């Protein structure tokens, strides 16, 4: 996969909230190391990774505001993982215990080996789509009761993507036309 554009719905389950928090948006990927994750509803935010540069924005008071990226190394490690997963590579046995489950769908379970990593994320579950050429969802199991599930739809693989979509600046992220 050279490029990927996909719409998404994210469901966040946290025990202290009685409802599931649902957000909508899109994800862009351009090999080898560009990722953009935008949420458009019910709020607007953007996370952009361009090589080793990381940009994070939120839209409030009628304009985009750049935020601190926090732990940049963790974001870059996640980017490396996503790039590998999009290429169908799950062989990093130094980082994860890897298993597969086949029931209604094929699921790949990745459990971090490092105890420090497991304090944040217990496991990733990657659900492959029925065509077996992409992901239908990713579930990030954060702890016993909290998880985030991201469902993907309306994928476009290897279509043209402007490099400007992965650049940050003082005015915020470059707008991306819907598809």
């Amino acid at each position: 996969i050279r490029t990927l554009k996909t719409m998404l719905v994210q469901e966040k389950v946290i025990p202290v909230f009685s409802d599931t928090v649902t957000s909508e948006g899109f994800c862009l990927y351009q090999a080898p190391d560009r990722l953009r994750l935008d949420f458009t509803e019910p709020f607007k935010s953007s996370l952009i990774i361009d090589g080793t540069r990381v940009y994070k924005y939120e839209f409030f008071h009628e304009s985009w505001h750049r935020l601190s990226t926090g732990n940049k190394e963790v974001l870059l490690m996640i980017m490396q993982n996503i790039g590998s997963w999009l290429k169908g590579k799950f062989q990093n046995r130094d980082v994860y215990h890897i298993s597969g489950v086949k029931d209604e769908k094929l699921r790949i379970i990745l459990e971090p080996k490092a105890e420090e990593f497991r304090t944040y994320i217990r496991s990733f579950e990657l659900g492959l789509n029925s065509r077996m050429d992409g992901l239908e969802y990713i579930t990030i199991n954060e702890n016993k009761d909290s998880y985030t599930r991201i469902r993907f739809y309306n994928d476009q693989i290897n279509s043209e993507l402007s490099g400007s979509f992965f650049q940050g600046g003082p005015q915020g992220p470059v707008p991306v036309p819907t598809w």
Side-chain angles (χ1 to χ4, degrees), residues 84-111:
S84 294
W85 300 342
L86 288 169
K87 294 172 190 163
K89 294 182 180 178
F90 304 98
Q91 296 136 336
N92 195 342
R93 296 207 177 267
D94 295 336
V95 178
Y96 299 106
H97 295 286
I98 303 169
S99 59
V101 177
K102 175 102 169 95
D103 40 33
E104 314 88 52
K105 302 207 179 267
L106 179 59
R107 298 178 290 139
I108 298 167
I109 312 297
L110 304 167
E111 297 173 290

